[in-house]
């Protein structure tokens, strides 16, 4: 892999095309994304930055229904529940906000914040959670995520209950759910930490390699000598070698290895099939 930086002429050429794209003359959103991907391949944008920009652009195409937590997976609380029983739910779920419903689960009467409940416990404030409820935002499944994010910011809401066309509860969505479409998964202390198998040997001698595999780990596994200075992961290195975001089925040969893209989407390379080539 060449370590020579792109020439100043190629930089000017790319900046000229990007300026043209941002001048209002761009023919499509896809054309703009292609220019940004070229910038990443030329080292002008990091892979993480490119992912966030693409997420911010494409979030306008998504609706609440695309990302909401469905009703069957919601953790909600009955309005007549005692504080002691609510505390058990809070501890078990690890959530900080809960929709509260009346006798009918489609009757959402407010949002309970765990911190409000804990303050009530500390101050011996009674056993009626109705006095602790915050207003609830009810939104349709068809609402665009960019509009919802703006509403969350203006109203200082962090959660909304999603209703279907008949007014019944369809699910819920949080500001974290929306932001994850832009910046990727946001783990907190309650999320279970998983250690994925990044390199999986196959019976035919090939290997399935997660694109997030650190280059150092790949080198240790295969005794290869790929540079760890320019890129952190195998996926970033391969994308740069292609010069564009490769699609499933595309192949490239590097230093005795054949890399074939086996999984990816419009935003990132996800998995590779790797075969060691005989000398």
């Amino acid at each position: 892999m060449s370590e020579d930086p792109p020439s100043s002429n190629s930089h000017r050429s790319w900046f000229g095309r990007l300026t043209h794209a941002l001048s209002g003359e761009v023919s499509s959103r896809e054309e703009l994304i292609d220019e940004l991907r070229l910038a990443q391949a030329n080292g002008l944008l990091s892979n993480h930055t490119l992912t966030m920009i693409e997420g911010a652009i494409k979030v306008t195409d998504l609706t609440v229904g695309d990302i909401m937590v469905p009703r069957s997976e919601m953790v909600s609380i009955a309005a007549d529940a005692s504080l002691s029983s609510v505390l058990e739910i809070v501890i078990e779920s690890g959530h900080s906000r809960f929709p509260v419903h009346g006798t009918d689960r489609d009757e959402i009467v407010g949002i309970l914040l765990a911190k409000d409940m804990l303050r009530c416990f500390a101050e011996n404030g009674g056993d009626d959670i109705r006095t602790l409820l915050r207003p609830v935002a009810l939104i349709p499944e068809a609402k665009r995520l960019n509009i919802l994010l703006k509403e969350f910011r203006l109203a200082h809401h962090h959660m909304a209950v999603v209703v279907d066309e008949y007014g019944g509860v369809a699910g819920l969505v949080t500001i974290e759910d929306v932001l994850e479409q832009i910046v990727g998964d946001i783990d907190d202390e309650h999320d279970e930490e998983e250690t994925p198998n990044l390199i999986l040997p196959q019976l035919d001698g090939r290997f399935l390699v997660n694109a997030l595999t650190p280059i150092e780990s790949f080198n240790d596994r295969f005794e290869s000598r790929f540079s760890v200075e320019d890129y952190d992961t195998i996926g970033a290195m391969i994308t740069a070698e292609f010069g564009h975001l490769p699609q499933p089925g595309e192949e490239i040969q590097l230093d005795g290895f054949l890399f074939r893209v086996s999984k990816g989407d419009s935003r990132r390379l996800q998995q590779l099939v790797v075969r060691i080539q005989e000398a």
Side-chain angles (χ1 to χ4, degrees), residues 100-122:
V100 177
H101 61 81
T103 305
D104 187 339
R105 288 183 175 271
D106 286 317
E107 180 195 0
I108 303 298
V109 296
I111 300 294
L112 175 67
L113 273 58
K115 65 178 183 180
D116 291 341
M117 186 203 65
L118 295 176
R119 185 180 300 113
C120 185
F121 257 113

Side-chain angles (χ1 to χ4, degrees), residues 128-232:
D128 186 359
I129 64 172
R130 292 181 181 85
T131 62
L132 306 175
L133 300 185
R134 306 272 184 118
V136 59
L138 302 176
I139 60 173
E141 295 181 63
K143 183 179 287 290
R144 296 285 180 180
L145 293 190
N146 59 319
I147 297 175
L148 175 62
L149 183 58
K150 181 178 180 180
E151 291 178 354
F152 272 152
R153 292 175 55 207
L154 293 176
H156 303 290
H157 286 158
H158 289 255
M159 173 183 286
V161 172
V162 186
V163 295
D164 59 26
E165 57 185 318
Y166 304 105
V169 174
L172 65 80
V173 64
T174 67
I175 193 171
E176 180 179 306
D177 296 328
V178 181
L179 292 176
E180 284 186 340
Q181 301 304 310
I182 300 174
V183 302
D185 290 341
I186 303 174
D187 294 330
D188 59 33
E189 62 272 20
H190 297 292
D191 292 331
E192 294 184 3
E193 184 175 352
E194 297 182 359
T195 304
N197 293 320
L198 298 178
I199 302 176
L200 298 174
Q202 305 298 294
L203 294 177
D204 61 1
R206 298 179 302 169
F207 297 84
L208 290 181
V209 178
N210 190 306
L212 295 179
T213 302
I215 293 179
E216 186 174 0
S217 298
F218 187 93
N219 287 341
D220 290 342
R221 177 66 177 79
F222 296 105
E223 298 183 354
S224 53
R225 297 182 179 179
F226 292 112
S227 173
V228 298
E229 296 181 359
D230 297 324
Y231 306 100
D232 296 325

